[in-house]
Amino acid sequence: MDIRAILLIGGLDAEEKRGTERFGSIPLACLDVLGVSVEERVMRRLQHFGVSLCSLVCDAPREADRFTQCAALDSKMQHLHETGEQFWQTGEETFHRCAEDGAELVIVHRIGPYVEVDYEEMIQHHLDRRSAVTQAVDSDNRTLDLFVLSASARADTAELFQSRLQRMRRESEPFRVSGYVNRLKKASDLRRLAMDGLLARNGVMPEGTEVKPGIWMGASARVHRKARVVAPAYIGAHAKIRASALITRGTAIERHAEVDCGTVVENATVLPFSCLGAGLDAMHCVVGFRRLAHLVRDVEVEIHDGKLVGMIPLSAVSRLAGSTAALFAFLPRELYRGFRASIRRKGAARSEEPFEKVESPPENPVLEGSPSDSESSGFPSNMAVVRRYGDH
């Protein structure tokens, strides 16, 4: 059976969009959770069940692509940016194209909610009841933006897309999802998704290697030997944790992020390409892209001071140029310091006066039986010997 999938990210109107399912202007579905974005995790799950990906329609600004990555995107899959009514029209047009290409069933999933569903069970439920459209609900019977549509049900599909997935032309028995569900409405939901993954409460596996029990590290992640990482914790690919930093209580440091010296990160997520300054306490928050969302106070603020929350250059060339410049700035300074210290040591050695002159013993001393007290030593009894260290 030919089964296709259409993924939708966003699609809310202006009132719903404000502060919902986004961090700044970027949809939560596009952000990394333990090394892999939410949208890519959904794609991997679909591919695992043998579902072909058809299109991804997203209303995020195009500049958000710089902060996100999706290795699961097939070269044949369309990645479309649309907003407003055009967003839903594109979704409907994509469905018709899938049907014309021979698809028998089409899965439509708006992310929105992260759902770990058994697609085989949902498809079998749809076929057994001979439904035109089947919608998924969670364990509390609350609806999810996840549907299975028969390719022949074009009128039902038109009604569904024109109502922004809020209304069906014909009622049908919903499919109850028994797996993990996260609504992903706020930054706190993104944080909970990461924590649940670290505690193995869902299928969100950290992308990397478990170097110690409960501590996961991505490729080329670097942790200074004087930094502390307390399990459970995740350090993403190419991330840097500098000296005296503390990573604890389920913190996730995503790819290419940096935590500077002496900073404490507790129960927090640091988003990709973000940099925390030195000597900070980042607790109970999601931070990145020059923004901070505090989970306890439920407030999100923008931070303009790059010394507090900055951004890492996005391109590899820029990062390499920055590292090279830092190296060339560091080496002359250290060489100059070493040269000055050497001069100070030599000058101190020349100006140093001996504590007391001591005549050297004769070249061929004559030892006889038991020498008297006055002859027992070639050094005076009140002499002290001091060895000089450094330049003090």
Side-chain angles (χ1 to χ4, degrees), residues 230-280:
V230 181
Y234 175 76
I235 312 296
H238 305 283
K240 297 179 184 177
I241 312 299
R242 301 194 184 277
S244 302
L246 173 61
I247 311 300
T248 185
R249 292 191 62 186
T251 288
I253 310 296
E254 299 294 349
R255 59 191 167 95
H256 292 288
E258 292 186 11
V259 178
D260 212 339
C261 302
T263 290
V264 177
V265 190
E266 176 183 336
N267 185 26
T269 292
V270 181
L271 295 175
F273 298 98
S274 302
C275 178
L276 284 182
L280 303 178

Side-chain angles (χ1 to χ4, degrees), residues 1-223:
M1 178 175 285
D2 190 352
I3 305 172
R4 311 283 180 90
I6 302 172
L7 297 183
L8 309 172
I9 297 178
L12 303 178
D13 59 32
E15 289 298 322
E16 293 175 312
K17 188 182 297 185
R18 188 178 296 115
T20 302
E21 297 183 1
R22 291 178 181 260
F23 185 80
S25 62
I26 302 177
L28 297 178
C30 296
L31 297 178
D32 282 15
V33 177
L34 304 184
V36 179
S37 66
V38 177
E39 59 177 315
E40 182 168 352
R41 292 188 182 277
V42 174
M43 292 180 188
R44 288 181 180 183
R45 190 172 188 86
L46 286 165
Q47 291 172 341
H48 173 74
F49 282 92
V51 179
S52 302
L53 299 171
C54 184
S55 289
L56 171 66
V57 185
C58 182
D59 69 354
R62 290 187 179 275
E63 54 267 24
D65 289 344
R66 300 180 301 163
F67 306 113
T68 61
Q69 65 175 8
C70 194
L73 274 174
D74 193 328
S75 58
K76 299 179 181 178
M77 180 180 177
Q78 288 186 309
H79 192 174
L80 307 172
H81 288 270
E82 302 292 350
T83 57
E85 289 299 326
Q86 189 63 37
F87 178 92
W88 297 104
Q89 291 176 11
T90 300
E92 184 178 353
E93 292 168 1
T94 303
F95 171 86
H96 293 314
R97 187 172 64 253
C98 291
E100 291 170 359
D101 289 343
E104 299 172 71
L105 296 176
V106 178
I107 296 173
V108 176
H109 187 184
R110 194 190 72 83
I111 324 170
Y114 171 77
V115 184
E116 293 182 354
V117 58
D118 188 322
Y119 289 105
E120 287 184 358
E121 289 185 2
M122 187 173 182
I123 290 168
Q124 192 62 50
H125 174 95
H126 176 83
L127 295 175
D128 290 346
R129 285 145 183 85
R130 299 181 180 179
S131 302
V133 180
T134 298
Q135 184 174 19
V137 297
D138 63 13
S139 57
D140 298 325
N141 282 327
R142 294 184 298 171
T143 58
L144 300 168
D145 291 339
L146 173 61
F147 301 84
V148 176
L149 298 91
S150 297
S152 58
R154 302 203 172 197
D156 296 84
T157 300
E159 179 73 16
L160 187 65
F161 278 99
Q162 290 170 13
S163 66
R164 302 188 176 198
L165 307 184
Q166 299 302 307
R167 186 174 63 252
M168 292 191 296
R169 182 167 170 265
R170 289 176 284 182
E171 293 295 328
S172 61
E173 182 180 345
F175 173 77
R176 179 171 295 182
V177 176
S178 57
Y180 179 88
V181 175
N182 187 315
R183 293 282 170 173
L184 278 184
K185 287 187 173 296
K186 301 186 295 184
S188 57
D189 295 324
L190 186 78
R191 177 75 201 121
R192 181 165 57 87
L193 183 61
M195 179 62 84
D196 289 344
L198 286 172
L199 299 178
R201 294 172 180 165
N202 56 25
V204 178
M205 286 292 295
E207 188 80 356
T209 304
E210 191 173 16
V211 294
K212 292 182 180 179
I215 299 177
W216 297 77
M217 293 183 64
S220 301
R222 291 189 286 174
V223 178

